[in-house]
Amino acid sequence: MNVPYLDLPAQIRSIRPALDAAIARTLDTCSFCLGPDVVQFEKAFAAYVGSKHCIGFNSGTSALHVAMRILDIGPGDEVITTPFTFIATSWAIDYVGAKPVYVDIDEQTMNLDVRLLEKAITIRTKAVMPVHLFGHPFDVDPVLEICRRHGLPLVEDAAQAHGATYKGKTVGAFGVMSGFSFYPGKNLGACGEGGALLTDRSDFAKRAASLREHGSSVRYFHDEVGYNYRMEGIQGAVLNVKLPHMGEWTARRRAIAHRYHALLAGTPLVLPREAPNCESVFHLYVARHPKRDQLKEFLQAKGIGTALHYPKTLHLQKCFEKLGYKAGDFPVSERAADGCISLPVFPQMTDEQVDYVAAMICEFKGW
Ligand SMILES: *Cc1c(COP(=O)(O)O)cnc(C)c1O
């Protein structure tokens, strides 16, 4: 049997006629940059998250960058985040000239360890931006409580967590702003790049709309330095087709994760578990073991694709040498980077495929 790490063609096949029709309509109207499809998607996605405003972007990175601009964060400022995530969270901070300040992660959820948060706050801290990593919510309430106590805005990086819930409420509506990504491999993916900024504040929404469009709300009049960060019309059309499937796709991801959990419970792998009050959307199914390289190779030989998220923590990346961190500064993150292995999880995956992956892991003797 063959189990690809991600079978995007299978997802596209499952909705192909609707995608073809939606893209054809955009070709007919030629509304390629923003336009009615994007507006329709913004309304629908805001409702999906439970936020007042959604502003469509050309990527999740752009949305997070603009969130930093809206908070007027700049040189000399610090923003707290974690070193165990995709690097884009830190790009947003670096792009405005501010410094990412890292806090280590919780051993179980691999999200920001709330117990370490307060110690990282300084006079220069301007915001806290944790990540709902792998689709699992970070511990929102204690983070919000600390933010409130210090008068700091919370920005959620929800790029991997479309539809995840914390205490029954969808993530992305807890902070003053949140950023989502619609990169093709994300739980909700465009046919190309895409992202969104969500907020309840209409002043932030207005500024986000202006910053994504050359710092302009009236054409050819520019209030501040902006960007070309618009969402493409075709991506809006594609996302409108895909959004209604999210309930079914997320349920399937969760079922696959629970099936893995039952089948792999007896193995030496450390399995991802949901924290109380949290429903993960399992963007990724990341297990951990020190022998993951050997396991990865073994599974490869059995026709099973796996991936590493993420093999190198951000504080040890070459580009962030300037931050002055060193190996050993964030031991839980570093251990996670050394031990992580992502198993296939995508909505079109069959039970037979899940069973095969689990059976092959049980066959591995190199622990
Ligand atoms: C994907 C991702 C982003 C960036 O999104 P893009 O749309 O690829 O720019 C930001 N943060 C996290 C955690 C991500 O996984």
Side-chain angles (χ1 to χ4, degrees), residues 108-220:
Q108 188 194 318
T109 65
M110 291 184 265
N111 282 323
L112 182 135
D113 187 338
V114 188
R115 295 167 303 175
L116 304 173
L117 173 56
E118 202 149 21
K119 270 184 281 182
I121 295 173
T122 74
I123 192 95
R124 290 176 296 278
T125 308
K126 289 291 167 348
V128 178
M129 182 158 57
V131 183
H132 300 294
L133 195 68
F134 306 147
H136 189 294
F138 61 78
D139 201 358
V140 176
D141 277 350
V143 171
L144 267 178
E145 202 274 314
I146 291 168
C147 284
R148 258 186 224 121
R149 191 137 35 82
H150 292 266
L152 292 170
L154 172 68
V155 178
E156 298 168 73
D157 182 340
Q160 304 189 351
H162 320 69
T165 61
Y166 179 84
K167 297 191 177 169
K169 193 177 154 191
T170 306
V171 305
F174 289 101
V176 288
M177 283 177 275
S178 67
F180 284 84
S181 166
F182 307 117
Y183 179 76
K186 297 285 160 81
N187 287 22
L188 176 58
C191 289
E193 308 277 352
L197 183 153
L198 283 96
T199 183
D200 278 345
R201 282 187 52 168
S202 53
D203 53 338
F204 285 1
K206 270 202 199 92
R207 199 150 166 227
S210 162
L211 281 167
R212 82 170 164 188
E213 192 155 31
H214 303 289
S216 152
S217 40
V218 179
R219 209 164 196 191
Y220 305 127

Side-chain angles (χ1 to χ4, degrees), residues 210-288:
S210 162
L211 281 167
R212 82 170 164 188
E213 192 155 31
H214 303 289
S216 152
S217 40
V218 179
R219 209 164 196 191
Y220 305 127
F221 291 82
H222 307 278
D223 306 321
E224 59 180 329
V225 173
Y227 313 94
N228 177 357
Y229 278 176
R230 290 176 294 235
M231 179 181 272
E232 293 186 343
I234 283 180
Q235 306 312 338
V238 164
L239 291 166
N240 282 326
V241 171
K242 286 194 179 188
L243 183 58
H245 291 277
M246 282 300 283
E248 155 210 341
W249 287 348
T250 298
R252 182 64 195 144
R253 283 178 182 275
R254 290 178 51 75
I256 291 166
H258 294 143
R259 197 172 181 92
Y260 272 140
H261 201 92
L263 294 167
L264 297 173
T267 69
L269 275 180
V270 176
L271 303 176
R273 276 187 297 143
E274 288 176 303
N277 301 320
C278 290
E279 281 206 5
S280 172
V281 292
F282 289 97
H283 170 55
L284 304 175
Y285 188 92
V286 180
R288 281 166 292 167

Side-chain angles (χ1 to χ4, degrees), residues 52-85:
K52 287 210 182 89
H53 309 279
C54 169
I55 298 91
F57 277 81
N58 63 343
S59 78
T61 307
S62 309
L64 293 172
H65 176 199
V66 161
M68 297 293 98
R69 280 290 309 273
I70 288 172
L71 294 173
D72 295 319
I73 292 168
D77 295 338
E78 297 176 353
V79 177
I80 295 175
T81 184
T82 79
F84 189 64
T85 173

